[in-house]
Amino acid sequence: MFGVIMTWIMLICVIIGMIFIGRVIQSEDQKSQLSQLHQTTELWAESFSIRLNSDLDRLGQLHNALPQNLSFRDNLSRLEQQTRELMQQRAEILEINYLDGNNRVVASFASPHPFGDITLRTGERYQRPSTMGAILRSRRTGSSSFSEPYSLPIEGSPFIDLVSPSIVGGERYLQISRLSIWSLLRQATQSRRDASFRISLLYNSEPIVAASTDSRRQTITYKMHLSPLPAGFELQVSSYAQGLLTQNTLFWVISALGIFLVVALLGLIRFNWRQNSTETALRAESALRKTIADSQLSGLQVTDRNGRIVYTNRTFTDLLGLSANEHLIGQLPPYSYWPKGDAGFRLMELFDTIKRGQMTTTSYEFHPLRPDGSTFSAFIHISPMITVEGTHLGWLWTLTDISEIRQAQERVTAAHERFTRVLESMQDAISVVDPQSNVLLFSNTVYDSLFGETSQGHLQAHMELINQMGEKKVKEASDMSSDIYLEDLDRWFDLHERTITWTDRTAVRLQILSDITERRKNENLLVEQQARSELNSRLVTMGEMASSLAHELNQPLTAISNYAFIVSSLMKKAGVPEEHEMFYSISRIEAQAQRAAAIIQRIRSFTKRSEPKMESIPVMNLIKEVMELASIQARRHNAKLQYYVAPDITNVWCDEIMIEQVLLNLIKNGIEASVGIEGQKPEVTLTVYSGIDHHIIFEVADNGVGIDDEHKAQLFDPFFTTKSTGMGMGLNICRTIVELHHGRLTISDNIGRGTIFTLTLPSENKQTV
Ligand code: ADP
């Protein structure tokens, strides 16, 4: 930091120095410019004086050579010649006049130079106001005198007149010489003429010859009196001040040096700053390293190649219950904290192996010894410390306290064991599956024994649940349960499924399958039993009703039979011929009344579950009886009724009335199913043929509405009916009768439309065969 500040101070000094040097150079410049101006002005004023004095001398000497004995007039030509010669040599003298005592011009001579002009004519009175003062002064004092400066509208302005008293031919005259100040000045300033100088002539501080100057530029000026001109005449020389330092090479050299210095200093500042920040960063890093080393959860111990301890961090000493590093620094293995006996010996061996290079790095679990004699579980890891160049410096020992980990492990193991034991002791199959990968994450032994150690069983049960509940519902609900049937196992389960968070925080599916096959069987049995007892009670009621009905009907039927007999006796007595068809009808009434009585008798005995009265009955007799009875109903419904009996058919072993009852019921159902179908006539056909194994097959086919598959199983249930007036007992009784005959009654669909009921009965008594 000090370096940076010093460099900044130096930088400021350099800048101040440069400004100072600039100022010095500038003032030196100005000084030399001023002295040059003085010199030049003095030089010019000097040469002006010399010229003018010389002019005065020459003018004064003009008359000296004139012969004094001759008059002015006689000397005139000589005078003219001399003046002309003089004016020829002195360009500034432009005119010479001579005045008499009355100021009348007696002679006038003009310069032969182009600017020479006669401004006064001979005989004229001299009246130029600027000169009048000088004329008076000259007459009074008798010496030369200069007029005031004046201008004329001719070349060479401004002018000044020199008035000198002169004696020619013994008479007093005044010689007036007109001098061009401009010309004098021009000649005086010929030498050292420089464009930067501006020359002016002042009279009483007013410029009479003025140089043009650029007013915007700063000028320096020097004035000097011009002798022998009278006071008031001043030569003024101005020069443009050398304003810009930049025109000075020295300035540039110094500036370049200064800039170089500034740049160098800035570079130095930058370097210093970098160095500073690097140092700060280094300091921070080393502090950080120390903090890291001290705050490490692991203890660090650094040893040289032989194992001599050179450094330990705070954690290391803290773990070992030591107060300061001194206890350990300098120790060689076996260290004081190593356990005594076998364990310590093994550590020594381990280190020796590593030292010999037979092992690179290694970890070892042991129980370090604290000074108070207590120990703890720790892990020591030894690794070599090798520099970038490959030099082996020593060893880094990392000591980690694992006593808490060990305890936690033990707790986890115990908890796991408890958990597993609980799960294993359960009767249910428990499984956990990752729904993303379908991998089995957990299963208890019950599950494994049912499905093996795969997720197959779990997935099957899940699919069953989806089939029952729908995929959407299963996906949305986090907790579901349902009874499912697993076909592979032929068992029913109460499935309980829910989503839980697994140990790795992912959502997994837990399934608990409880086997409910037995329970379900019992439940079904119970339901069946209930239905059966209900049915039984209805059958019993019906049986009782049939029994009382039979009792009630027996009387009127006996009466009908008796009355029929009486009618036929009366008709015989009245002499009605025996072949009269009324006898036939009466005999049918009588027969049917007896049949009705027989049926009622059968029902009574049937409801009392009495055995059928089995006989070998000729099939043709049976068919004819059935057809006759059925034809009454067929006619009522305008149905076509027909039958075919195979020629080999003879007898059938049955209770005639019962089987007639069965066939009549089947034909009645067939007609009822075929009636009312538009565009077709009801048609029922009874076909009888022999089946295998001494069986006779009766087929009752109709062209009716047919039977739905779902109804087929229920047809034989008691009280099942689709008819508004039906009782639903017909087919149930039929099947009971058939079962009593050890026969079979099946249903199949007729070709085209309708149903075929097939009744199979043995043709003869099996017990006797
Ligand atoms: P019910 O005739 O009093 O209804 P049934 O036990 O004789 O009682 O018949 C039970 C049911 O079986 C009938 O209601 C009827 O729906 C059906 N069924 C019986 N026979 C036929 C058939 N040949 N064609 C169509 N349905 C029949």
Side-chain angles (χ1 to χ4, degrees):
M1 207 55 212
F2 179 73
V4 175
I5 292 168
M6 282 312 289
T7 325
W8 272 111
I9 291 171
M10 275 170 75
L11 183 67
I12 292 163
C13 288
V14 165
I15 292 167
I16 292 171
M18 276 185 65
I19 293 167
F20 179 72
I21 289 169
R23 280 288 158 108
V24 169
I25 291 171
Q26 199 175 24
S27 86
E28 283 303 314
D29 257 9
Q30 277 176 354
K31 265 187 203 162
S32 88
Q33 205 184 352
L34 207 61
S35 88
Q36 203 186 350
L37 183 70
H38 286 194
Q39 274 180 17
T40 310
T41 314
E42 277 162 13
L43 179 75
W44 287 344
E46 181 74 22
S47 58
F48 187 92
S49 301
I50 291 169
R51 181 81 181 188
L52 189 57
N53 279 326
S54 155
D55 284 348
L56 295 185
D57 282 352
R58 297 285 296 271
L59 282 167
Q61 286 165 13
L62 257 183
H63 321 103
N64 292 353
L66 293 178
Q68 286 295 325
N69 50 352
L70 290 179
S71 70
F72 186 82
R73 196 168 296 274
D74 298 332
N75 272 324
L76 202 59
S77 62
R78 211 171 281 134
L79 190 62
E80 185 175 1
Q81 192 196 342
Q82 280 182 10
T83 53
R84 281 197 191 274
E85 265 174 34
L86 178 62
M87 285 191 284
Q88 179 79 43
Q89 289 163 12
R90 300 288 168 139
E92 64 272 21
I93 307 172
L94 296 173
E95 191 180 0
I96 299 174
N97 297 298
Y98 284 90
L99 306 185
D100 64 9
N102 295 323
N103 287 354
R104 204 166 292 276
V105 179
V106 288
S108 247
F109 307 110
S111 169
H113 284 283
F115 298 162
D117 266 314
I118 294 292
T119 57
L120 296 169
R121 300 283 160 201
T122 313
E124 259 181 51
R125 261 182 88 88
Y126 193 90
Q127 282 177 331
R128 194 171 285 155
S130 52
T131 318
M132 292 314 288
I135 292 171
L136 282 176
R137 246 186 341 269
S138 201
R139 284 195 200 282
R140 201 173 56 235
T141 60
S143 57
S144 301
S145 181
F146 281 102
S147 73
E148 287 175 18
Y150 61 91
S151 290
L152 291 176
I154 51 172
E155 292 288 339
S157 271
F159 307 106
I160 189 168
D161 287 348
L162 173 70
V163 182
S164 314
S166 53
I167 298 170
V168 181
E171 284 177 55
R172 285 178 176 271
Y173 293 93
L174 280 180
Q175 183 195 46
I176 297 178
S177 313
R178 183 165 60 89
L179 301 173
S180 165
I181 299 174
W182 175 81
S183 177
L184 266 170
L185 208 58
R186 210 169 65 91
Q187 283 177 31
T189 60
Q190 251 167 6
S191 66
R192 283 213 203 170
R193 201 55 185 267
D194 188 323
S196 66
F197 292 121
R198 293 280 177 272
I199 304 156
S200 313
L201 187 69
L202 309 179
Y203 179 67
N204 289 340
S205 304
E206 287 296 323
I208 48 172
V209 175
S212 67
T213 49
D214 187 344
S215 61
R216 285 167 302 176
R217 293 179 68 180
Q218 198 194 351
T219 51
I220 47 171
T221 307
Y222 189 60
K223 285 183 211 166
M224 260 196 95
H225 171 66
L226 286 173
S227 70
L229 289 178
F233 281 97
E234 279 175 315
L235 172 67
Q236 176 180 294
V237 181
S238 309
S239 165
Y240 290 124
Q242 215 153 48
L244 290 175
L245 265 176
T246 47
Q247 287 159 1
N248 193 308
T249 321
L250 185 63
F251 170 79
W252 279 116
V253 172
I254 289 171
S255 296
L257 270 172
I259 289 166
F260 176 73
L261 248 171
V262 167
V263 170
L265 283 172
L266 282 174
L268 198 65
I269 287 172
R270 200 169 127 89
F271 173 74
N272 272 342
W273 182 79
R274 278 200 181 166
Q275 206 175 21
N276 262 343
S277 43
T278 315
E279 264 175 32
T280 316
L282 261 174
R283 240 175 275 131
E285 197 183 304
S286 82
L288 182 72
R289 277 194 192 182
K290 190 172 165 11
T291 316
I292 290 171
D294 283 347
S295 62
Q296 283 268 321
L297 289 177
S298 302
L300 301 177
Q301 168 187 282
V302 177
T303 67
D304 65 12
R305 275 160 45 182
N306 297 320
R308 188 184 300 278
I309 300 175
V310 291
Y311 169 80
T312 58
N313 72 347
R314 185 155 350 128
T315 318
F316 196 86
T317 48
D318 285 354
L319 279 176
L320 295 174
L322 298 169
S323 51
N325 282 356
E326 283 83 86
H327 290 282
L328 291 170
I329 304 292
Q331 276 190 24
L332 275 165
Y335 305 121
S336 57
Y337 62 85
W338 280 9
K340 309 284 172 249
D342 269 5
F345 183 69
R346 273 202 298 280
L347 269 168
M348 195 70 206
E349 262 187 349
L350 180 80
F351 182 53
D352 281 344
T353 325
I354 294 172
K355 228 164 53 168
R356 283 198 302 274
Q358 288 166 351
M359 233 194 268
T360 46
T361 58
T362 190
S363 300
Y364 184 70
E365 190 180 336
F366 75 117
H367 291 87
L369 197 64
R370 292 195 175 111
D372 61 5
S374 64
T375 61
F376 61 100
S377 288
F379 221 53
I380 193 118
H381 181 87
I382 310 167
S383 50
M385 295 201 313
I386 293 163
T387 61
V388 187
E389 293 81 31
T391 318
H392 181 200
L393 294 176
W395 307 95
L396 178 69
W397 306 59
T398 317
L399 186 74
T400 317
D401 181 358
I402 54 163
S403 45
E404 271 183 30
I405 298 172
R406 281 278 170 271
Q407 282 167 14
Q409 271 176 353
E410 277 160 24
R411 279 199 299 274
V412 169
T413 314
H416 183 74
E417 209 170 301
R418 278 198 301 276
F419 167 74
T420 323
R421 218 173 268 179
V422 168
L423 289 181
E424 294 304 353
S425 64
M426 282 171 77
Q427 300 288 313
D428 304 331
I430 299 167
S431 58
V432 177
V433 161
D434 177 6
Q436 306 299 325
S437 61
N438 286 339
V439 168
L440 182 70
L441 301 172
F442 172 82
S443 60
N444 68 349
T445 40
V446 179
Y447 177 91
D448 292 347
S449 63
L450 282 173
F451 306 105
E453 285 176 39
T454 71
S455 60
Q456 210 50 42
H458 180 110
L459 298 177
Q460 248 175 36
H462 184 64
M463 280 317 293
E464 273 302 318
L465 192 68
I466 287 177
N467 287 345
Q468 275 184 25
M469 303 284 190
E471 192 163 4
K472 194 165 170 265
K473 207 168 160 197
V474 172
K475 264 193 185 154
E476 280 168 4
S478 62
D479 201 339
M480 301 270 326
S481 62
S482 171
D483 287 2
I484 57 155
Y485 173 71
L486 293 185
E487 218 172 286
D488 293 0
L489 300 176
D490 184 24
R491 296 198 82 78
W492 281 90
F493 292 95
D494 171 19
L495 166 65
H496 194 90
E497 195 176 282
R498 70 185 321 184
T499 306
I500 58 165
T501 307
W502 199 235
T503 46
D504 60 359
R505 305 266 144 231
T506 56
V508 296
R509 199 165 53 222
L510 166 76
Q511 236 180 39
I512 302 170
L513 284 166
S514 321
D515 192 335
I516 53 159
T517 317
E518 291 308 318
R519 197 181 79 197
R520 229 184 138 87
K521 255 188 208 164
N522 293 339
E523 278 172 6
N524 285 350
L525 264 177
L526 202 71
V527 172
E528 264 173 43
Q529 267 171 9
Q530 273 174 355
R532 212 173 296 140
S533 72
E534 196 184 324
L535 198 64
N536 277 345
S537 74
R538 286 174 78 178
L539 283 174
V540 167
T541 321
M542 238 189 69
E544 282 165 3
M545 274 167 64
S547 177
S548 59
L549 203 67
H551 180 73
E552 292 297 324
L553 288 179
N554 229 2
Q555 299 265 329
L557 282 174
T558 317
I560 290 170
S561 177
N562 289 344
Y563 282 118
F565 178 73
I566 293 166
V567 169
S568 75
S569 310
L570 286 173
M571 276 169 60
K572 271 182 197 161
K573 267 189 196 166
V576 179
E578 261 186 44
E579 54 285 358
H580 195 283
E581 60 182 20
M582 270 180 61
F583 280 108
Y584 177 71
S585 294
I586 288 167
S587 76
R588 292 310 297 161
I589 289 171
E590 199 184 336
Q592 286 306 312
Q594 278 168 8
R595 183 182 151 76
I599 290 170
I600 286 164
Q601 190 54 44
R602 285 282 182 282
I603 289 172
R604 273 180 85 181
S605 55
F606 178 68
T607 52
K608 281 179 190 161
R609 287 239 171 239
S610 60
E611 283 302 305
K613 215 171 121 196
M614 303 296 270
E615 288 164 294
S616 183
I617 307 288
V619 172
M620 270 327 275
N621 287 0
L622 188 80
I623 298 298
K624 277 188 183 146
E625 190 68 16
V626 167
M627 281 296 140
E628 201 178 308
L629 289 170
S631 61
I632 303 166
Q633 189 154 16
R635 268 200 299 278
R636 200 185 300 153
H637 288 106
N638 193 24
K640 185 179 171 190
L641 188 63
Q642 51 194 347
Y643 71 92
Y644 302 102
V645 181
D648 58 327
I649 301 298
T650 52
N651 285 11
V652 61
W653 183 255
C654 68
D655 178 323
E656 191 187 359
I657 300 279
M658 278 186 174
I659 295 304
E660 268 178 30
Q661 223 24 63
V662 170
L663 289 174
L664 270 175
N665 195 55
L666 293 180
I667 290 167
K668 181 192 81 129
N669 278 349
I671 292 169
E672 281 173 356
S674 316
V675 165
I677 297 175
E678 210 160 304
Q680 99 169 1
K681 191 174 175 174
E683 201 176 299
V684 177
T685 310
L686 172 62
T687 313
V688 187
Y689 56 92
S690 55
I692 51 161
D693 201 16
H694 306 286
H695 276 85
I696 302 214
I697 297 166
F698 299 80
E699 260 186 22
V700 181
D702 63 63
N703 61 348
V705 289
I707 303 168
D708 294 345
D709 283 344
E710 58 171 315
H711 285 155
K712 274 180 186 153
Q714 296 170 284
L715 284 189
F716 298 103
D717 291 350
F719 307 110
F720 174 81
T721 179
T722 58
K723 299 166 195 166
S724 55
T725 53
M727 211 170 135
M729 279 308 293
L731 286 175
N732 178 266
I733 292 171
C734 286
R735 199 174 59 174
T736 316
I737 292 169
V738 173
E739 277 168 6
L740 286 173
H741 282 77
H742 305 290
R744 259 183 304 130
L745 182 59
T746 56
I747 322 158
S748 56
D749 296 330
N750 196 2
I751 303 160
R753 72 177 314 157
T755 318
I756 301 173
F757 280 85
T758 309
L759 167 66
T760 313
L761 290 174
S763 57
E764 54 208 46
N765 187 1
K766 285 208 171 156
Q767 274 85 37
T768 57
V769 174

